[in-house]
Amino acid sequence: MLHIVLIAPEIPHNAGAAGRLALATGSRLHLVKPLGFSLDDKHVRRTGLDYWKDVDVRVWESFDELKSAAGEEARYWYLSTKTKRGLWDVSFRDGDYLVFGCESRGLPEAIVRDAGEQGIRIPMVEQGIRSLNLSTAVGITLYEAWRQTQPG
């Protein structure tokens, strides 16, 4: 199982789309507070359609709480446009945590700074675009990790 982690997501549509991706790949969705919406919000349910009730979603008070529960063996990949290592250069393993920041600011600078080789970016041409939509970034990263970890 892969893990999608959204730290302080702000837009319910992105969390709903990430939930659908999690369900489609047998992954778990982790939402780290503060959330910019209610989980009862009609937009989350609408984006997740009738699948939201089936999504394996966990809500955490903090990222440290999630990491403590996951244990010391857990591997984290921190997605940021401020890192150098490309997504295609990573060998993912079953059980990896794919960590994404909020829509307006990305991951906190301290997390990116401390990520080292675990900090990765989705390659893009240099055309002045700052970043991809959060749910698009989750989809690209999750499916690459899933492709690598599926048998056969």
Side-chain angles (χ1 to χ4, degrees), residues 9-18 36-38 41-45 47-48 52 103:
E10 300 164 326
I11 301 174
H13 285 64
N14 286 327
F37 50 86
S38 165
D41 191 300
K42 66 180 179 179
H43 297 294
V44 172
R45 290 193 313 270
T47 305
W52 187 251
E103 292 88 343

Side-chain angles (χ1 to χ4, degrees), residues 64-102:
D64 286 338
E65 181 186 42
L66 180 155
K67 289 188 342 186
S68 178
E72 291 190 24
E73 297 300 315
R75 261 188 6 156
Y76 300 90
W77 298 101
Y78 301 95
L79 278 288
S80 174
T81 59
K82 298 176 179 97
T83 61
K84 301 270 189 251
R85 187 175 187 188
L87 172 65
W88 317 135
D89 298 326
V90 172
S91 293
F92 293 102
R93 294 191 308 229
D94 190 42
D96 280 354
Y97 288 75
L98 312 173
V99 184
F100 301 84
C102 70

Side-chain angles (χ1 to χ4, degrees), residues 22-147:
L23 189 59
T25 58
S27 300
R28 180 172 291 151
L29 176 62
H30 300 269
L31 302 175
V32 179
K33 291 182 178 181
L35 307 180
F37 50 86
S38 165
L39 288 178
D40 295 330
D41 191 300
K42 66 180 179 179
H43 297 294
V44 172
R45 290 193 313 270
R46 185 182 319 143
T47 305
L49 295 173
D50 55 342
Y51 302 115
W52 187 251
K53 67 184 179 347
D54 299 319
V55 174
D56 184 356
V57 62
R58 309 287 166 90
V59 180
W60 303 94
E61 293 297 322
S62 70
F63 187 49
D64 286 338
E65 181 186 42
L66 180 155
K67 289 188 342 186
S68 178
E72 291 190 24
E73 297 300 315
R75 261 188 6 156
Y76 300 90
W77 298 101
Y78 301 95
L79 278 288
S80 174
T81 59
K82 298 176 179 97
T83 61
K84 301 270 189 251
R85 187 175 187 188
L87 172 65
W88 317 135
D89 298 326
V90 172
S91 293
F92 293 102
R93 294 191 308 229
D94 190 42
D96 280 354
Y97 288 75
L98 312 173
V99 184
F100 301 84
C102 70
E103 292 88 343
S104 64
R105 295 177 308 279
L107 286 172
E109 283 188 38
I111 289 178
V112 175
R113 182 182 59 245
D114 295 341
E117 288 295 308
Q118 300 304 112
I120 58 176
R121 65 181 292 124
I122 297 170
M124 295 184 287
V125 296
E126 297 297 324
Q127 295 292 326
I129 187 168
R130 273 190 330 271
S131 63
L132 298 172
N133 172 276
L134 177 60
S135 60
T136 300
V138 170
I140 291 167
T141 307
L142 177 62
Y143 269 87
E144 174 58 17
W146 196 52
R147 181 190 68 80

